[in-house]
Amino acid sequence: MEMIEASRDLRDTCAIVGIGNSRLGKVPGVSSLDLIVEAMRNALDDAGLKASDVDGILCRGPDDVYSHHQMVGERLGINAKFSTTVTNGGASQILSVALAVMAIRHGLATTVICGYGRDAWSRTHANEEARVRNETRPPSQLPREFGPEYGYYSAAATHAFGATRHMHLYGTTKDHFGQIAVAFREHALRNPQAQMKKPLTLEEYHAQRSIVRPFGLYDCSLRSDAAGAVIVTSRARAKDLRQPPVVIKGFGTHNNTRGWFADDNMVTTAAKQSGERAYAMAGVGPRDVDTAQIYDCFTYMVLTQLEDYGFCKKGEGGDFVASGALRMDGALPTNTSGGQLSEAHAEGMLQLVEGARQMRHTYAADRQVRDAEIALVSGHGGNQVCHSTLILGRA
Amino acid sequence: MTEPRKPLPRPAPESLPYWEAAAQHRLDMPHCQACDGFWFPPSRTCPHCTSADVDMKTVSGRGKVFSFVIYDRVYHPAFATEVPYAVALVELEEGPRLISNIVGIPAEQVRCDMPVAVVFDDVAENVSVPKFKPL
Ligand SMILES: [Zn+2]
């Protein structure tokens, strides 16, 4: 309990004061680093800050480069008191914000920029071989045994193992996964920047091209050129800045480092413990959350995280999503910008951006979750077992 | 024009004994002398008790399908004639879980918790890949 007491000291101490994203979708001829810096420039403009006001850089890396954060700093033209890259995959973006809060609270930095993005669409469409492999990681990071000889490829398959097991244990159906894809597509149609522009019906979902069963095309997130960024500073400094501060109420992490295939990790994910820690720090529970931005690399991952976060019981995620809960007028409007399934995929960075924007109440009525006071954002990655949770609120 | 070949395993140093046993149609698993635990993939420290007193031990080759997926999309040209094929996570009676193929039945008939037993697919000279068929 001592640790939970200590983390409560961080509740409501820092805020997100700048939010930005790059162009999203198909942005040929722009490197991942330039996409990140584009998002960071937009976040700085949003906050009314200059790059020289920033003294901390935290970002995910490397996809394919060494010491990513240094290259970001070079392009922003700044030195940093506190700067590093984290390698927890899609859990890195919230982890970066968590590290920023800790660094700021302990005087290691005052204003930290966090961001990530990648040129995943351009990279997987560079030539025919890249299109067939559909792999964002460089060959040096791929398995050399216990996979390729069996034709076991892609993150889709790895997550599909969890989906199959969940369906076996709890009677979850493809219809349930379809409800998630359809809800997020509806949200994307309200978002002019979203990569996907066409409506998606449940019938079209069921008629989709199969990829690796139980997943078809619409169960899989997008390959996108996309980046996002946020700027974190103390509540005291936030008062003097341009935008209404988005308060960082709490965060948590958990890492099932024994592996995705160990224990029951593929059906009860690290979101469970990560969420419990974040709720404890923020002093809220699942019933207090007005909107969720859930890491949706695949439809199934939304369903299981909704259970792990306590929005419904384990095994009841199917009924929960079928109730329409995820829609703008539902009990828990989720992935309100379209998510990685329909807006663009930047490894959780755009979930963070959307959660923060919802807390500013600046959207027009069709995109704003009405009266939203608390947003939960999730990050998942790092060989499927690293998780991070952020709980945001209004000042 | 030759047919594209399936990738062969490229073993890490700690995996060599596993593949050497497989070449002789034996399923050997890393095993701890101190706590009698098994695990997979191979490593030289027991993840149950961190003992370094480890060896390889032949296991039953029997287990069940913990979970599985069925490929319709081709990610590697050598599998173009194999789709739809099943990749399973098999849980051995001794505990370890490993990725493999389920062979001998159509992919659509694979089920979670289905009992399976190892068979060996001789894919190249001195290279055999453990696969599983329903019991
Ligand atoms: Zn042991």
Side-chain angles (χ1 to χ4, degrees), chain A residues 131-134 144-146 148-154 157 160-161 164-165 168 210-213 261-263, chain B residues 7 10-12 15 19 40 66-73 75-76 79 84-85 97 99 101 108 113 129-130:
Chain A
R131 195 195 61 75
V132 169
R133 287 177 66 243
N134 193 34
R144 299 162 61 92
E145 56 181 335
F146 313 129
E149 65 272 38
Y150 296 109
Y152 172 37
Y153 299 101
S154 84
F161 278 109
T164 301
R165 186 76 188 164
H168 172 70
S210 175
I211 303 292
V212 49
R213 282 178 254 172
F261 288 153
D263 309 315
Chain B
R10 293 185 294 157
S15 304
W19 288 111
F40 194 81
F66 184 80
S67 191
F68 67 96
V69 300
I70 300 174
Y71 278 78
D72 291 308
R73 188 193 195 280
Y75 287 88
H76 185 293
F79 290 89
Y85 63 95
R97 293 175 184 168
I99 284 289
N101 295 127
E108 284 79 4
D113 296 337
V129 172

Side-chain angles (χ1 to χ4, degrees), chain B residues 31-39 45-54:
Chain B
H31 167 260
C32 177
Q33 306 261 23
C35 76
D36 206 28
F38 288 94
W39 65 95
T45 296
C46 171
H48 304 290
C49 74
T50 62
S51 168
D53 194 5
V54 303

Side-chain angles (χ1 to χ4, degrees), chain B residues 6 25 28 31 34 43 49 55 67 74 76 79 86 88-90 92-93 100-101 109 117 121:
Chain B
K6 289 183 189 174
H25 289 202
D28 285 9
H31 167 260
S43 59
C49 74
D55 59 4
S67 191
V74 176
H76 185 293
F79 290 89
L89 182 67
V90 172
L92 298 174
E93 283 180 358
S100 191
N101 295 127
Q109 290 177 19
D121 185 1

Side-chain angles (χ1 to χ4, degrees), chain B residues 50-64:
Chain B
T50 62
S51 168
D53 194 5
V54 303
D55 59 4
M56 297 292 289
K57 200 167 171 178
T58 303
V59 295
S60 65
R62 287 188 304 273
K64 61 182 184 178

Side-chain angles (χ1 to χ4, degrees), chain A residues 33-51:
Chain A
L33 272 165
D34 266 349
L35 284 168
I36 294 168
V37 173
E38 181 178 318
M40 288 181 166
R41 207 177 56 229
N42 289 335
L44 287 165
D45 288 349
D46 176 65
L49 290 169
K50 301 188 299 292

